[in-house]
């Protein structure tokens, strides 16, 4: 039952629904976001807390309108004057029935309005279905391909395996971004890390909030961001970085690393870019955060993507099918050539020492140079 569910619902017309559920010891909790057919009326955030771990039952859900401008949950009284004559229910009784691939919801609000949603989904952790380019399968071909690309049009991401494209937050199995951003993780991190950062991040400022997310992402905390680079060679460095030469020597021919190539320019023209984590329709957006306290961003030519979508690969594929264009491609390179790749990247100035300024990066670079591991 846990995870993200996206689909449509019926209630005085058809609308979009997103359900995000986290698993606890004794129940499932999270939020549902409902956006009705009337885009001039605010969406709804519905709180979810099942009574037990059973996947069938009933719960009472507090309901909150989403502010038309900020898209954050607010009391109805704060915006009711913008909708003369309208009423907004404060709660609903919800029946649910779930399997691993199907979630069925039926509800009745305190105003007597009924609704229903049946959502089916695939496992977002399944193997990637993205077919890599057949014309770029070697390191030599990758170098030739990279230098022919239009500069500044594409962004790149390296992964040690051809995993499905997902954020580190969603890979943990969690889904409730409202809990993450407004209740637990970010407030807790902000309190603790403020003693360790030279800059105090004002989380009421969207630019500084983006910089804070980017900082914790670069220091290993799970976020709904993904790291990308303007350089295909930096992406290749990160794809091979955590593989040893000994592992590469033993690697079978079919073992690959992956470099994603994303058409940022085309995507940003075709789709609006938003910087809101939770109370939004599904989105995949480019985040060019301020490099506050983050010395790694410049040498890595780094930027991030921000998304509230669990299965990014499937989401982008859907958008590609809608428009008949290609935004995302994959290049798979053999693990076995790791030693030569890292040597050539070193000659380009792409090393752990340059990518990670400080003692850790310097030691990692020297280990790569002086030890055969």
């Amino acid at each position: 039952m846990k995870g993200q569910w996206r689909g449509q619902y019926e209630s005085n017309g058809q609308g979009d629904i997103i359900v995000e559920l986290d698993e606890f010891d004794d129940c499932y909790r999270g939020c549902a976001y409902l956006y009705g057919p009337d885009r001039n009326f605010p969406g709804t955030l519905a709180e979810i807390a099942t009574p037990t771990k059973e996947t069938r039952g009933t719960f009472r859900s507090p309901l909150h309108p989403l502010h038309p401008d900020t898209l954050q949950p607010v009391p109805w009284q704060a915006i009711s004057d913008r909708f003369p004559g309208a009423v907004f229910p404060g709660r609903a009784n919800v029946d649910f029935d779930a399997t691993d691939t199907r979630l069925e919801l039926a509800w009745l609000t305190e105003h007597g309005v009924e609704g229903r949603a049946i959502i089916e989904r695939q496992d977002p952790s399944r193997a990637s279905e993205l077919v890599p380019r057949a014309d770029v399968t070697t390191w030599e071909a990758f170098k030739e391909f990279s230098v022919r690309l239009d500069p500044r049009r594409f962004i790149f991401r390296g992964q040690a395996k051809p995993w499905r494209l997902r954020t580190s937050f969603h890979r943990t199995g969690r889904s409730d971004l409202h809990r993450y951003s407004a209740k637990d993780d970010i407030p807790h991190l902000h309190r603790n890390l403020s003693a360790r950062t030279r800059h105090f991040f004002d989380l009421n400022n969207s630019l500084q909030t983006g910089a804070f997310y980017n900082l914790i992402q670069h220091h290993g905390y799970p976020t709904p961001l993904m790291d990308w680079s303007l350089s295909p060679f930096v992406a290749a460095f990160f794809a091979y970085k955590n593989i040893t030469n000994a592992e590469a020597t033993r690697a079978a021919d079919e073992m690959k690393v992956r470099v994603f190539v994303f058409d940022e320019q085309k995507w940003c023209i075709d789709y609006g870019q938003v910087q809101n984590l939770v109370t939004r329709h599904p989105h995949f957006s480019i985040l060019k955060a301020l490099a506050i306290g983050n010395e790694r961003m410049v040498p890595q030519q780094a930027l991030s993507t921000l998304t509230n979508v669990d299965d990014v690969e499937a989401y982008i594929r859907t958008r590609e099918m809608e428009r008949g264009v290609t935004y995302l491609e994959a290049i798979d390179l053999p693990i076995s050539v790791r030693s030569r790749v890292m040597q050539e990247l070193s000659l380009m100035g792409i090393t752990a020492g340059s990518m990670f300024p400080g003692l850790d990066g310097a030691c990692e670079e020297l280990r790569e140079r002086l030890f055969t591991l």
Side-chain angles (χ1 to χ4, degrees):
M1 188 169 173
K2 71 176 182 179
Q4 183 181 83
W5 304 77
R6 294 192 288 119
Q8 294 186 313
Y9 72 91
E10 295 283 349
S11 179
N12 294 334
Q14 191 175 71
D16 297 324
I17 182 170
I18 305 168
V19 180
E20 297 178 346
L21 293 173
D22 287 345
E23 183 176 3
F24 291 80
D25 290 340
D26 57 350
C27 67
Y28 296 94
R29 293 184 210 152
C31 296
Y33 304 94
L34 293 85
Y35 302 92
D38 182 0
R39 297 307 186 194
N40 295 318
F41 196 74
T44 300
L45 183 151
E47 297 181 41
I48 298 174
T50 63
T52 67
K53 292 289 286 290
E54 295 293 325
T55 56
R56 177 184 296 179
T58 302
F59 62 87
R60 175 169 286 192
S61 174
L63 306 177
H64 310 278
L66 301 174
H67 194 286
D69 300 328
T70 67
L71 298 175
Q72 296 298 326
V74 294
W76 174 242
Q77 294 80 1
I79 58 172
S80 59
D81 59 341
R82 300 175 64 162
F83 307 96
V87 294
F88 191 92
R91 59 186 179 274
N93 291 325
V94 183
D95 297 323
F96 67 95
D97 189 359
T99 68
D100 289 340
T101 60
R102 181 182 175 93
L103 176 63
E104 194 167 341
L105 301 170
W107 60 86
L108 178 67
T109 74
E110 62 181 349
H111 295 160
V113 177
E114 296 182 338
R116 182 179 180 84
I118 300 176
I119 311 171
E120 296 186 356
R121 68 166 186 179
Q122 292 183 300
D123 180 6
S125 65
R126 67 192 185 279
S128 173
E129 295 152 341
L130 190 60
V131 178
R133 289 185 65 114
D135 59 336
V136 187
T137 59
T138 66
W139 175 240
E140 289 72 20
F142 178 80
K143 289 186 291 184
E144 292 179 8
F145 168 82
S146 298
V147 298
R148 291 198 307 267
L149 292 174
D150 292 343
R152 306 305 179 187
R153 173 173 175 174
F154 298 92
I155 59 176
F156 309 87
R157 173 178 171 82
Q159 295 185 171
K161 293 183 180 179
W163 294 304
R164 199 169 193 85
L165 198 59
R166 298 173 73 200
T167 71
S168 57
F169 169 79
H170 290 103
R171 288 186 186 277
T172 67
R174 288 178 55 182
S175 293
D176 185 0
L177 281 169
H178 182 65
R179 169 191 163 206
Y180 174 89
S181 62
K183 294 183 177 181
D184 291 348
D185 299 65
I186 296 303
H188 185 76
L189 282 163
H190 190 245
R191 286 194 301 272
N192 282 271
L193 297 184
S194 291
R196 294 172 170 82
T197 58
R198 289 172 290 179
H199 176 84
F200 179 80
F201 290 86
D202 178 6
L203 298 187
N204 292 314
N205 181 305
S206 60
L207 290 175
Q208 294 201 37
T209 299
F212 184 74
Y213 275 79
N214 198 57
L215 180 65
I216 63 174
Q217 165 84 359
H218 276 244
H219 285 276
Y221 197 84
T223 74
L225 276 59
M226 282 189 288
D227 294 328
W228 297 76
S229 175
L230 296 171
S231 167
F233 299 109
V234 169
F237 170 84
F238 281 101
Y240 283 102
K241 173 180 177 292
N242 293 321
I243 301 169
T244 67
N245 288 330
E247 291 170 337
T249 300
R250 298 192 301 268
D253 292 341
E254 64 271 15
M255 296 179 66
K256 310 287 186 179
V257 300
R258 172 161 288 186
V259 176
F260 289 100
V261 182
F262 185 69
D263 192 338
E264 176 205 2
Q265 185 180 94
K266 178 66 173 170
W267 180 264
C268 291
I269 292 172
D270 290 346
Y271 295 100
Q273 303 297 286
V274 298
Q275 308 297 306
N276 189 300
L277 278 178
V278 286
T279 51
R280 274 285 191 178
H281 291 284
H283 73 93
F284 179 74
S285 299
I286 307 300
L287 175 66
K288 296 180 179 179
L290 297 175
I292 300 174
N294 191 347
E295 296 179 351
R296 302 175 178 182
M297 283 187 64
V298 172
Q300 293 178 14
Q301 301 183 56
L303 71 165
S304 300
T305 52
L306 169 68
T307 185
N308 59 1
V309 174
D310 188 340
D311 192 342
V312 173
E313 180 177 314
Y315 176 74
I316 294 175
R317 178 58 181 154
T318 299
R319 297 294 173 259
E320 290 178 332
M321 293 174 66
E322 287 176 355
R323 293 186 178 262
V325 300
T326 298
Y327 299 107
L328 180 69
E329 292 187 296
I331 295 174
D332 288 354
L333 299 173
I335 289 179
S336 58
V337 299
R338 191 263 182 194
S339 177
R340 177 156 54 89
V341 169
M342 297 302 275
Q343 287 175 2
E344 292 191 19
L345 291 175
S346 177
L347 294 174
M348 300 178 192
I350 301 174
T351 66
S354 62
M355 296 294 99
F356 304 100
L359 284 174
D360 289 345
C363 288
E364 184 176 339
E365 177 181 342
L366 291 170
R367 182 186 65 189
E368 177 80 32
R369 188 188 307 172
L370 301 176
F371 283 82
T372 304
L373 299 176

